[in-house]
Amino acid sequence: MSTSSVTVTGMTCNHCVSSVTEEISALPGVTNVNVDLTTGKVVIDSTTDLDPSAVAGAVEEAGYSVEHAG
């Protein structure tokens, strides 16, 4: 089991949360997605380590952006 997190920018409502959750949940191995609308933090539980570019791609597919640290 692996847990990772990203910060998503551009979400403004629960529909945004739903879209991001749906796209990330579709990635292979993802077992749970928890989105905090207020902070933009998305915590992802999965059976394997996820490719950060795959997560970013899923977020972009939903219409939002991943904030990259550093």
Side-chain angles (χ1 to χ4, degrees):
M1 201 61 146
S2 177
T3 301
S4 56
S5 65
V6 294
T7 301
V8 175
T9 58
M11 296 186 298
T12 58
C13 65
N14 284 328
H15 180 266
C16 302
V17 169
S18 186
S19 295
V20 169
T21 300
E22 182 179 333
E23 291 296 334
I24 294 175
S25 293
L27 293 173
V30 172
T31 57
N32 187 50
V33 179
N34 187 337
V35 180
D36 184 327
L37 177 60
T38 306
T39 63
K41 184 174 182 178
V42 180
V43 178
I44 308 158
D45 295 329
S46 59
T47 55
T48 60
D49 289 337
L50 296 175
D51 179 355
S53 64
V55 173
V59 170
E60 288 167 12
E61 183 69 29
Y64 309 97
S65 300
V66 171
E67 185 177 278
H68 294 283

